[in-house]
Amino acid sequence: MKVYLKTYGCQMNERDSEAVAGMLAARGYEITAQEEDADILIFNTCSVRDQAERKAIGKIGILTRLKRRKPDIYIGIMGCMAQNRGQALLDELPHVDFVIGTGQLHRLPEILAGVIAQRHRELRVEEDHAVLTGMSTHFSRGNRISAYIAVTRGCNRFCSYCIVPYVRGREISREIADIKHEAIELVAQGVREIMLLGQNVAAFGLGGNINPPPPDVSPFADLLTELNDIPGLQRLRFTSPYPSYFNAKLIAAMAALPKVCHSLHLPLQSGSNAILRAMNRHYTAEQYLDIVGQLRRAIPDITFSTDIIVGFPGETETDFLATRRVMNEVGFDNAYIFKYSPRQGTVAATMLDQVPQQIKEERNHILLDDLNRRVAKHNAELRGQIVEVMVEGPSKRNCERWCGRTATNKMTIFDPAPGLEPGDLVQVKITRTTAMSLFGQLTATGGAPV
Ligand code: 5AD
Ligand code: SF4
């Protein structure tokens, strides 16, 4: 039987879809990218903002027609919205056969087999810790050079706007040995870059305790140190860390380990201390800037990206300007700017002073404009310089040119040379830049001049 998998939302969802594809492929299902060919359609959904839920419901809703035409197909919903809405999805969408929450992911093949054998509808949303330990990524991803590894799942922080702790459950960490084993396997398959994933990834190994550890304790730094040793692995990245866990030990490890990339996604959310407090974010703008300063001193060429929410309840013009100021002070090279979206069941959804949509739009635009201008300027400063790029392959826009990323996560486009392979490290001299990309010429591959 052919399975079509569509993924909404974050990298953790992409990883989960890869793991599900791997489990199903191992049981003889064929994974297809063509929706029309599929016997089974599975939607891995997101709940983090209302728009993400509406998009998936809209898409699944119109499949009524397909199901009428082809009554033998199966339609399933997994992921955060499955966990969040459960039975309501089966009630509202009569053509959906199964709804499997985030805690039951590792059982998906078994549940699917039951649904097919008995032609019944199934709802499974219980939380189950085996989801983390019992499931690594088995899917062989061809000549992909970059892979995800989930190292923690769930979140205990309960930021007041966020639904993740409710839909992904309590925070748990895998064992270092287990993660290392998975990383070694991926490298043996040709992977050169690993992205470690967790909703609160730098809290790895702290047993779900939300209090940051003393300066000399960081199980996450221990994990990075172990993985840095793997021969053949070239780059290590991670997302998303909560700022408070960047203590002396973690910063020192990041600076000392050659494979840890010099680009860090560090969610700020707001630059106003009043809003940060209302968000239940346990740091101030000053503390955030202090962490950025420490990282810059230890790793001078580090670049930062971030997440920002505009229009959180009670956000005044002054609060917004504080965010704008902190963003300018850090000088982010990328930022995901979100308009606050009330999520039922979270504390912020019940707060008074909800901000009108129009103001959210305006603030969103202002920050995006600031960002584009700043990044164009940062990138222009790289003109004439030589940067190291890990080759990804032909560029999406123009397949005669190739692309790759710098360790600071800048997309770089260049003319390929004979014998160049995805995963190679090359030197590129930058000749032209935009806010999105760098363009240049190869000067050397693996140390040898071209
Ligand atoms: N509304 C808008 N953005 C949100 N995020 C999380 N919850 C919400 C919400 N209710 C954003 C945060 C988080 C990112 C993944 O999504 O910025 O870091
Ligand atoms: Fe959500 Fe906060 Fe946890 Fe991130 S740290 S997943 S924003 S609750």
Side-chain angles (χ1 to χ4, degrees), residues 155-162 165-166 170 210 279-280 347:
C155 184
N156 288 356
R157 298 221 58 106
F158 289 91
C159 300
S160 64
Y161 51 82
C162 186
Y166 303 92
R170 296 291 55 76
I210 65 162
M279 286 177 162
N280 195 30
V347 171

Side-chain angles (χ1 to χ4, degrees), residues 387 389-390 392-406 410-416 426 428-434 436-442:
V387 295
V389 171
M390 190 165 87
E392 286 179 14
S395 143
K396 282 202 189 84
R397 289 236 182 104
N398 172 359
C399 61
E400 281 173 21
R401 307 204 78 189
W402 277 37
C403 67
R405 284 177 190 277
T406 64
K410 300 269 179 196
M411 176 54 81
T412 309
I413 320 280
F414 51 89
D415 291 321
V426 294
V428 177
K429 180 160 186 183
I430 302 305
T431 52
R432 186 167 76 80
T433 60
T434 65
M436 302 296 295
S437 318
L438 313 177
F439 297 83
Q441 304 296 334
L442 286 177

Side-chain angles (χ1 to χ4, degrees), residues 12-176:
M12 188 63 92
N13 259 14
E14 286 175 29
R15 191 222 76 97
D16 285 350
S17 291
E18 283 172 3
V20 165
M23 288 190 289
L24 291 177
R27 284 165 179 79
Y29 294 89
E30 188 183 326
I31 308 297
T32 173
Q34 256 64 52
E35 193 183 328
E36 320 77 66
D37 294 351
D39 307 295
I40 301 161
L41 293 91
I42 304 176
F43 296 86
N44 189 4
T45 56
C46 170
S47 277
V48 90
R49 282 169 295 276
D50 186 49
Q51 206 186 4
E53 287 203 341
R54 269 191 285 142
K55 213 158 119 193
I57 290 183
K59 168 73 195 162
I60 300 163
I62 58 172
L63 294 178
T64 350
R65 270 176 275 149
L66 180 69
K67 184 96 171 194
R68 229 177 278 134
R69 201 153 41 81
K70 290 161 77 179
D72 288 342
I73 61 168
Y74 296 87
I75 300 175
I77 305 179
M78 61 184 254
C80 293
M81 186 176 72
Q83 191 71 39
N84 191 27
R85 296 194 168 211
Q87 182 65 41
L89 289 173
L90 286 181
D91 295 344
E92 285 162 29
L93 302 164
H95 56 299
V96 166
D97 298 283
F98 57 95
V99 172
I100 298 179
T102 48
Q104 292 287 315
L105 214 63
H106 56 303
R107 299 236 163 75
L108 188 140
E110 182 194 312
I111 299 169
L112 175 61
V115 167
I116 293 171
Q118 296 160 31
R119 274 244 76 133
H120 66 178
R121 301 177 84 205
E122 179 92 38
L123 171 72
R124 294 288 288 276
V125 289
E126 316 86 81
E127 193 173 328
D128 182 348
H129 281 187
V131 73
L132 182 70
T133 44
M135 187 168 103
S136 56
T137 314
H138 298 295
F139 198 42
S140 159
R141 278 159 292 175
N143 62 357
R144 272 193 51 182
I145 53 155
S146 188
Y148 296 129
I149 298 184
V151 302
T152 72
R153 284 186 91 87
C155 184
N156 288 356
R157 298 221 58 106
F158 289 91
C159 300
S160 64
Y161 51 82
C162 186
I163 201 166
V164 166
Y166 303 92
V167 293
R168 289 239 175 220
R170 296 291 55 76
E171 185 178 292
I172 42 173
S173 297
R174 286 169 72 183
E175 296 295 327
I176 290 185

Side-chain angles (χ1 to χ4, degrees), residues 10 48-49 161-164 240 265 267 269 281 307-309 336 338-343 346:
C10 67
V48 90
R49 282 169 295 276
Y161 51 82
C162 186
I163 201 166
V164 166
S240 265
H265 186 71
Q269 311 297 1
R281 299 285 288 183
D307 289 342
I308 299 287
I309 297 177
Y336 300 92
F338 304 107
K339 288 166 272 185
Y340 170 69
S341 165
R343 310 312 295 134
T346 64

Side-chain angles (χ1 to χ4, degrees), residues 293-341:
Q294 289 183 47
L295 282 157
R296 280 227 162 97
R297 279 192 295 281
I299 309 166
D301 68 341
I302 194 168
T303 60
F304 292 95
S305 62
T306 199
D307 289 342
I308 299 287
I309 297 177
V310 291
F312 183 83
E315 186 186 66
T316 63
E317 192 61 22
T318 315
D319 294 319
F320 170 67
L321 289 176
T323 300
R324 205 174 169 194
R325 224 178 16 250
V326 176
M327 285 185 77
N328 284 330
E329 193 165 336
V330 178
F332 292 108
D333 270 80
N334 198 8
Y336 300 92
I337 300 158
F338 304 107
K339 288 166 272 185
Y340 170 69
S341 165

Side-chain angles (χ1 to χ4, degrees), residues 187-307:
V187 171
Q189 288 172 23
V191 164
R192 294 289 166 265
E193 174 180 79
I194 286 174
M195 169 79 99
L196 304 176
L197 297 179
Q199 270 83 29
N200 182 11
V201 72
F204 172 82
L206 295 172
N209 182 349
I210 65 162
N211 297 317
D216 57 341
V217 176
S218 173
F220 187 60
D222 300 335
L223 173 66
L224 292 176
T225 308
E226 280 286 326
L227 298 182
N228 188 80
D229 284 346
I230 298 176
L233 179 67
Q234 281 166 354
R235 286 182 175 176
L236 264 172
R237 300 185 191 273
F238 56 88
T239 201
S240 265
Y242 191 90
S244 315
Y245 299 92
F246 284 83
N247 60 9
K249 177 160 178 186
L250 179 52
I251 294 173
M254 286 181 64
L257 298 171
K259 294 179 185 174
V260 175
C261 283
H262 293 178
S263 77
L264 183 63
H265 186 71
L266 194 61
L268 168 66
Q269 311 297 1
S270 170
S272 151
N273 289 339
I275 296 295
L276 285 169
R277 216 172 307 122
M279 286 177 162
N280 195 30
R281 299 285 288 183
H282 291 195
Y283 55 87
T284 60
E286 293 73 25
Q287 285 167 334
Y288 183 96
L289 288 168
D290 180 58
I291 293 163
V292 165
Q294 289 183 47
L295 282 157
R296 280 227 162 97
R297 279 192 295 281
I299 309 166
D301 68 341
I302 194 168
T303 60
F304 292 95
S305 62
T306 199
D307 289 342

